Amino acid sequence: MLTVLVLLPTVVAALLLCVPRAAPRGLFRWAWTATAAVELALAVTVWAGYRADGGTQYETRARWIPGAGVSYHVGVDGLSLPLVALTCVLFLACALYALRGTPKVREFAALFLFLQTTCLGLFVALDLILFFLFFDLSIVAMYFVIAGWGHRGAARAALKFFLYTFIGSLALLLGFIGLYLAAEPHTFDIVDLTRENPLAGRSGYGALVLLAVGVGLAVKTPTVPFHTWLPPAHTEAPAAGSAILAGVLLKMGTYGFLRIAMPVLPEAWRTYAPVLVVVGVVSVLYGALVALAQTDFKRMIAYTSVNHMGYIVLAVGAAGSVGGGREEARQLAVTGSVVQMVSHGLLTGALFLLAGVLYERGRTYDMAAYSGVAGRAPVLAACTGVAAFASLGLPGFSGFIAEFQILAGSLGPRPVATALAVLGILLTAALFLRAFQQVFLGPLRLPVAAPGADRPFPDVRGHEGAAVVPLLALGVVIGLAPRFLLDVVEPASRRLLELLAR
């Protein structure tokens, strides 16, 4: 089942590239959309058949490069299944969003389908080399998305994105090789490495491996100071590319902490957890403060991703503080970090798609060029308002569930850091309210490139609403009835803490 889920998009992408460019554009769009819908149906089927207390399921293991200890090993548990479902939801939303007006649609659809394979493959990978393979291929696919369909500065932004994240991936590979050499017998299998704990009692070696793995994952997350590739990549990428970059690709870093760094390197993680806490708090405050200073709507959303990812890093760092606070609190922090990944993917993905709607009308992200847009586009204003309030952690939305769990779980182990992180919520509220007020309220003012006062400013169209509204609806569902998600995540969080306490 998982193999079909992972490889089906790439198979369809290869078939699309075999179809002549002269074929009707609608064929490529609807083939992409249909494939994304089938992928979501498969993900729902996997979720429906998943037993919440059963550990890793849908597991497949086959010999791949046995001489090097590499296998094709995939499976899902409560940490990865929510991200698999999130990936399928976001890629379907992007397919719907791109139904109209996308140039070179055949190549665009094929590239996104291949990118979906890389994302799903990483979240189900249980072998370090398989994880690294999908990690690297996602960088290549996103590079072409930004460079091929981005805005005027896309080439430079794509190059910066590729170089930064590729260097991070090389650090990650170095750490994986260190784990391989430490294991007896040598293996890259994550399950075997977790069980054997090969670096127990080897504090110096473990510190170096954690440094390499941590830097590689921190670049992808991204955390301060490894975040500088993110704002230009988001600003210059097409709206669908930004939604996937923020909603899915950033989660590869935080998921790597939960899947690899914490269970495979428990002793080193406990020792250096305070460093992660500090990095998380700095990212929370820095991301919010810099976002507050932005005049570009899309760039502002990009910096809020640094802020929101900082909460996750704070949570996983606090979970490593075994000597302080109760175990229930640390479990709450881990669970909150997974819920935050899902919530951020849904809400920030929706915000980037809405930023794309605004840009299509006005041809600029400069917030000073807009005012009173709500009078012309009330649905756009309403959707943006819901996404903004949900992102700042208002009760009733998924962001509140995630941030409440993270802060409640981190307060016992790390009270000072958690108190500082709470300031990030206040700053986030200020920046979203300021942006919403400037763009959507007040007297009407539209960019020169937009329709004049005597012509309508188009509201959200059908395909745009079909992409954005379900993302916001899921944010509300998780905010009001999160039990279906928490029942999957909480048992996996308990198992992770048991491994971390070894």
Side-chain angles (χ1 to χ4, degrees):
M1 175 71 82
L2 293 184
T3 300
V4 173
L5 184 69
V6 170
L7 297 182
L8 176 61
T10 293
V11 171
V12 176
L15 293 175
L16 289 182
L17 291 177
C18 293
V19 177
R21 285 193 179 91
R25 292 166 59 88
L27 170 66
F28 304 114
R29 295 193 183 100
W30 288 110
W32 176 17
T33 305
T35 304
V38 170
E39 286 286 285
L40 180 57
L42 289 173
V44 171
T45 302
V46 170
W47 191 300
Y50 180 80
R51 293 174 287 107
D53 58 347
T56 303
Q57 296 167 46
Y58 296 95
E59 199 168 356
T60 300
R61 189 169 185 174
R63 291 163 60 88
W64 184 18
I65 314 174
V70 180
S71 63
Y72 173 79
H73 191 185
V74 297
V76 292
D77 65 0
L79 302 178
S80 57
L81 182 56
L83 298 177
V84 169
L86 170 67
T87 299
C88 293
V89 168
L90 278 175
F91 272 93
L92 178 56
C94 290
L96 292 169
Y97 180 87
L99 279 176
R100 291 179 54 183
T102 303
K104 298 180 290 186
V105 66
R106 184 187 71 157
E107 291 79 5
F108 193 71
L111 197 53
F112 261 78
L113 287 168
F114 174 69
L115 182 59
Q116 185 169 3
T117 284
T118 67
C119 296
L120 291 171
L122 182 139
F123 291 134
V124 303
L126 293 177
D127 183 276
L128 292 177
I129 296 302
L130 195 62
F131 183 99
F132 175 78
L133 172 69
F134 289 120
F135 189 95
D136 253 17
L137 290 178
S138 70
I139 298 172
V140 175
M142 184 53 69
Y143 167 81
F144 285 109
V145 168
I146 298 172
W149 287 267
H151 304 308
R152 291 196 317 182
R156 182 181 178 86
L159 181 62
K160 187 173 185 179
F161 159 79
F162 184 88
L163 291 178
Y164 261 75
T165 50
F166 187 68
I167 290 172
S169 75
L170 294 179
L172 194 64
L173 179 61
L174 188 62
F176 289 172
I177 294 173
L179 284 170
Y180 169 82
L181 294 176
E184 288 294 341
H186 297 327
T187 181
F188 285 103
D189 190 86
I190 296 174
V191 176
D192 293 344
L193 289 168
T194 300
R195 182 178 59 251
E196 294 171 10
N197 191 13
L199 293 180
R202 305 169 67 179
S203 57
Y205 194 158
L208 292 174
V209 171
L210 180 61
L211 176 64
V213 172
V215 168
L217 297 175
V219 171
K220 193 79 166 185
T221 297
T223 63
V224 176
F226 304 109
H227 68 288
T228 55
W229 62 265
L230 181 70
H234 271 312
T235 304
E236 302 300 338
S242 292
I244 296 300
L245 179 57
V248 181
L249 265 66
L250 300 191
K251 310 306 179 297
M252 293 178 176
T254 49
Y255 173 73
F257 288 130
L258 296 174
R259 174 60 61 210
I260 301 170
M262 295 176 72
V264 179
L265 297 162
E267 183 179 324
W269 187 270
R270 293 194 304 269
T271 301
Y272 296 99
V275 177
L276 273 294
V277 171
V278 172
V279 170
V281 172
V282 171
S283 297
V284 166
L285 298 177
Y286 177 86
L289 286 169
V290 178
L292 186 62
Q294 300 304 306
T295 59
D296 183 292
F297 187 61
K298 202 178 185 190
R299 198 173 182 89
M300 181 200 75
I301 299 171
Y303 274 109
T304 64
S305 289
V306 178
N307 165 266
H308 285 106
M309 293 297 98
Y311 285 110
I312 299 174
V313 176
L314 167 64
V316 297
S321 306
V322 177
R326 299 174 58 189
E327 183 176 347
E328 292 84 354
R330 295 193 295 276
Q331 180 189 329
L332 196 61
V334 174
T335 301
S337 69
V338 179
V339 177
Q340 177 75 329
M341 290 186 224
V342 175
S343 174
H344 177 265
L346 294 171
L347 301 177
T348 305
L351 278 170
F352 275 119
L353 294 180
L354 290 166
V357 172
L358 189 68
Y359 181 85
E360 184 182 333
R361 276 53 164 179
R363 313 312 298 176
T364 181
Y365 294 116
D366 183 10
M367 290 187 283
Y370 298 94
S371 180
V373 171
R376 291 291 185 89
V379 177
L380 174 60
C383 289
T384 306
V386 169
F389 282 109
S391 293
L392 61 87
L394 198 70
F397 296 99
S398 57
F400 173 77
I401 301 295
E403 291 177 4
F404 172 78
Q405 289 183 307
I406 288 173
L407 296 175
S410 303
L411 186 60
R414 299 295 174 185
V416 176
T418 305
L420 291 173
V422 171
L423 297 176
I425 299 176
L426 179 63
L427 294 170
T428 304
L431 67 92
F432 274 121
L433 290 175
R434 179 184 71 93
F436 186 83
Q437 184 177 26
Q438 183 168 358
V439 174
F440 293 100
L441 304 181
L444 179 66
R445 181 174 65 253
L446 299 175
V448 175
D454 58 331
R455 290 179 291 170
F457 187 90
D459 207 343
V460 173
R461 298 187 174 98
H463 68 287
E464 296 164 342
V468 171
V469 172
L471 301 181
L472 301 178
L474 282 172
V476 174
V477 169
I478 295 173
L480 297 177
R483 199 66 255 166
F484 77 98
L485 177 58
L486 298 181
D487 285 343
V488 170
V489 178
E490 287 173 351
S493 299
R494 282 195 297 270
R495 285 191 295 274
L496 178 60
L497 288 179
E498 291 170 1
L499 294 170
L500 187 60
R502 292 176 298 167

